[in-house]
Amino acid sequence: MIQFSALQRFTMRFMVAAVCCAFTFASQAQTSQAPHMEEHDGHHALFVDGAPYLVLGAQINNSSTWPSTLPKVWPALQRMHANTIEAPIYWEQLEPHPGQFDFSSVDQLVKGSREHNLRLVVLWFGTWKNGNMHYVPEWVKTNPQKYPRVLNRSGDPIDVLSAQSQTNLDADKHAFEALMGHLAEIDARDHTVILVQVQNESGIIGSPRDFSAASNREFAGAVPADLTRALHTKSGSWSEVFGGDADETFQAYHQAKYINEIAAAGKAKFNIPMYCNVWLSYPIAELPERQVRNPGIQYPSGGPTQWMLPLWKALAPSIDAIGPDVYSSDPAFYTKVLETYARPDNALWIPETGNGDDYAPYFFLALGHGAIGFSPFGVDDTGWTFKEGEGPVAHTRNYALLNPMARQIALLNFQGALKTAMELPGRPEQELDFGKWKASVRFGFPQRDGQRVPGTPNHEGRALVAQLGPDEFLVTGIESSVAFHTEGKLPGIRMQILSAEEGSYENGTWKPMRLWNGDQTDRGLNFHRGADTVVKIRLGTF
C-alpha cells in the first residue's frame, strides 16, 4: 500500500517542478539544474529541469546522423509523439585526423533537437559498436601496431580493439573528452542533452577474450583483489575462481574498467548521466544439453549481460545505468530481463527495443517495473526501416497517450505509486493491488456479463493505474477495462464511484473534460472505442 506520509515528503520538493511545467521548454531548460539520476526507496528517476522526466524515446538508424539525412529524422519523431531522440556520434567522423575534431554533426544534432522540442540522448560509437571496431577512425584501423586488436584463440587478429591496450584507451578517451567538452560549451545552460551512452553494445565478437601473449600471462596469474572483493569470491587464478566463465569474466573485468575510465574522463568535462547498453544473452533454441552460453559468438563477450551485470555495477561506478537492448517479444524473456536490470543500484532504462507492434505493450510492462524510459530502434524517414511517412504504429499510440502526462507518470513512478498490467497469452484478466483498493484489469472486447473475457487476438492489451490519494486514481489503457473493488468483494459491492472524470494534462495541470457515468462506468472503465483517454477516478465505500 502507498505510504502517503512518504508522498507528502515529496510535496515541497516538487513544487518548483510543478510551476516550471507551466512554462515553455526553453524557459525550463535555461533556469534549471543539470540532468541527473536520483534513487529513493528503490525507485529511480532521471531528473531534467529539476523534476522527474520520462523518456519517450526513438533511436534513429545507425547512419542517420549526417547533414544529408537529419532532415529525414525529425518528421518521423514528431509523428510518433516522441519527446527524446537517440542519435549516434561517430568517432571516425568526430576525429578524422588525430587531434583534429569536427563538431559539425554534433552542433546540427543539438540545434535540430531544440528546434523540434526534443531532448537528446547522445550515443558514442567509439571503440565498440555491436562488438566490433567499425566506427573507429581510419588512422586507428590502419595502424594495428599502435592500436592493437584482439587476437583470437588461434592467434589471428580480429575486427575488435583490445581493451587491455592503454594506447587504445587513451585515444578513445581523448576523443570522448573532446566531445563532452564541446557539449559543455554549447549545452551547459539549455540541457538539451540528457543522457550519454558510452560505446554501443561493447564486447568482442569473434573470441571470448584477447589471447595475445600479454593477455595470456595475465590470465594465468591471480584474479585482481578488487574483483574478488566486489564479487565476494575466493582468491586464485582466473580458471580456478571462475571455471568455465573465466574467459568472459576476464574480458568483462578489463572492459568495464576501460569504459569506466572513459566515462569518468567525460564527466570531468560535463557531468551528466551516462549509461551503457548491452547486447543480451538470448535463450538458445537447442536441446537442453546444447544450451550452453557461447560468449563472443552468441553475444559480444565482456559486455554487461545478465551474468556479468554484478561485475559491471561494482567496477564501473561512473556508469549511472546499464540498459538492456531487448529484441525478443517473448513475454517470459522480456519480463526476466526487466526483473534483472531493475535493481536498487540500477535505474531500469530500455535504450533499444523492437519497433514492431508486438513490442509496444512492453512499454507498459517496463513502466510497471519502474522504467525511466523506453526507446524503439530505427525510427526515421531514410527508408532503412520504414517507408517515408510511415513508422511504428502501436508505439506511436503509446506515446500519443502518455506524452501529455509524461512528467506526471515519471513522478508517480518515482514515488512508487504506479502499477501496470500487460496482457499475456492465456491471462486476459489481472489484478493490481493498492492495499485497500484492488484494480481488476480485463483485456479484449466484448466483455459480456457472466462470460470469460475474450482477450485480444494479438495480446495487445495494456493498462496503467496510479494512486493519487487514499481513494483517488489516475487510469488509462488500451484495449482494456479497469474496475475497482475492496478486499474479498466484487466491483460494485459496498463501494461506489464518487466521480470518474475524463481529462488530460496541459503543462502539468489536470484539465477535466466530462464526467463518465452509466454505460461508461457500470462495467468498469473501458478503454476501447474512440480516442484513447485518461480518467481520474475517486472512490468510496458504504
Side-chain angles (χ1 to χ4, degrees), residues 151-157 211:
L151 301 184
N152 64 18
R153 202 180 297 271
S154 300
D156 296 322
F211 286 89

Side-chain angles (χ1 to χ4, degrees), residues 330-340 362 365 369 422 424:
D330 176 76
F333 178 78
Y334 213 119
T335 301
K336 183 62 176 178
V337 168
L338 297 179
E339 292 171 348
T340 298
Y362 289 102
L365 188 66
H369 283 78
M422 186 192 86
L424 298 171

Side-chain angles (χ1 to χ4, degrees), residues 42 97 142 157 273 287 346 353 373 381 386 405 423 448 478 485 540:
H97 304 285
T142 56
L287 292 171
N346 192 67
T353 196
D381 281 344
F386 294 101
M405 56 180 179
E423 183 182 0
R448 296 188 173 91
I478 293 174
H485 63 96

Side-chain angles (χ1 to χ4, degrees), residues 464-499:
L464 180 152
V465 182
Q467 190 161 18
L468 304 178
D471 302 304
E472 186 176 22
F473 296 86
L474 188 71
V475 188
T476 190
I478 293 174
E479 297 304 318
S480 61
S481 71
V482 179
F484 290 88
H485 63 96
T486 57
E487 182 72 40
K489 295 182 174 60
L490 295 173
I493 304 300
R494 299 295 300 274
M495 59 80 61
Q496 59 189 336
I497 296 173
L498 301 180
S499 71

Side-chain angles (χ1 to χ4, degrees), residues 306-503:
Q306 302 94 309
W307 331 110
M308 294 295 140
L309 183 58
L311 179 154
W312 273 78
K313 293 303 298 183
L315 297 181
S318 293
I319 297 299
D320 297 280
I322 294 174
D325 294 348
V326 193
Y327 287 100
S328 168
S329 59
D330 176 76
F333 178 78
Y334 213 119
T335 301
K336 183 62 176 178
V337 168
L338 297 179
E339 292 171 348
T340 298
Y341 285 86
R343 296 165 42 123
D345 63 352
N346 192 67
L348 180 61
W349 155 231
I350 310 301
E352 285 186 40
T353 196
N355 56 39
D357 289 352
D358 53 333
Y359 286 89
Y362 289 102
F363 180 32
F364 279 65
L365 188 66
L367 287 175
H369 283 78
I372 63 170
F374 194 83
S375 185
F377 174 79
V379 181
D380 56 39
D381 281 344
T382 61
W384 187 254
T385 45
F386 294 101
K387 294 180 180 178
E388 187 169 353
E390 298 181 357
V393 175
H395 289 292
T396 297
R397 189 177 182 185
N398 284 345
Y399 285 9
L401 174 62
L402 297 185
N403 188 304
M405 56 180 179
R407 288 283 190 172
Q408 286 68 37
I409 296 299
L411 175 57
L412 289 163
N413 223 355
F414 188 44
Q415 294 172 338
L418 183 146
K419 297 180 184 294
T420 63
M422 186 192 86
E423 183 182 0
L424 298 171
R427 289 189 58 195
E429 300 184 40
Q430 296 178 32
E431 191 93 343
L432 301 178
D433 188 352
F434 290 91
K436 172 186 175 182
W437 292 103
K438 321 296 178 184
S440 294
V441 183
R442 309 173 80 207
F443 300 110
F445 295 87
Q447 296 185 1
R448 296 188 173 91
D449 295 344
Q451 295 185 16
R452 179 176 171 82
V453 66
T456 64
N458 298 317
H459 312 300
E460 60 181 317
R462 53 247 199 220
L464 180 152
V465 182
Q467 190 161 18
L468 304 178
D471 302 304
E472 186 176 22
F473 296 86
L474 188 71
V475 188
T476 190
I478 293 174
E479 297 304 318
S480 61
S481 71
V482 179
F484 290 88
H485 63 96
T486 57
E487 182 72 40
K489 295 182 174 60
L490 295 173
I493 304 300
R494 299 295 300 274
M495 59 80 61
Q496 59 189 336
I497 296 173
L498 301 180
S499 71
E501 192 174 71
E502 179 186 342

Side-chain angles (χ1 to χ4, degrees), residues 59 84 254 454 521:
Q59 185 171 151
T84 305
H254 288 284
T521 59

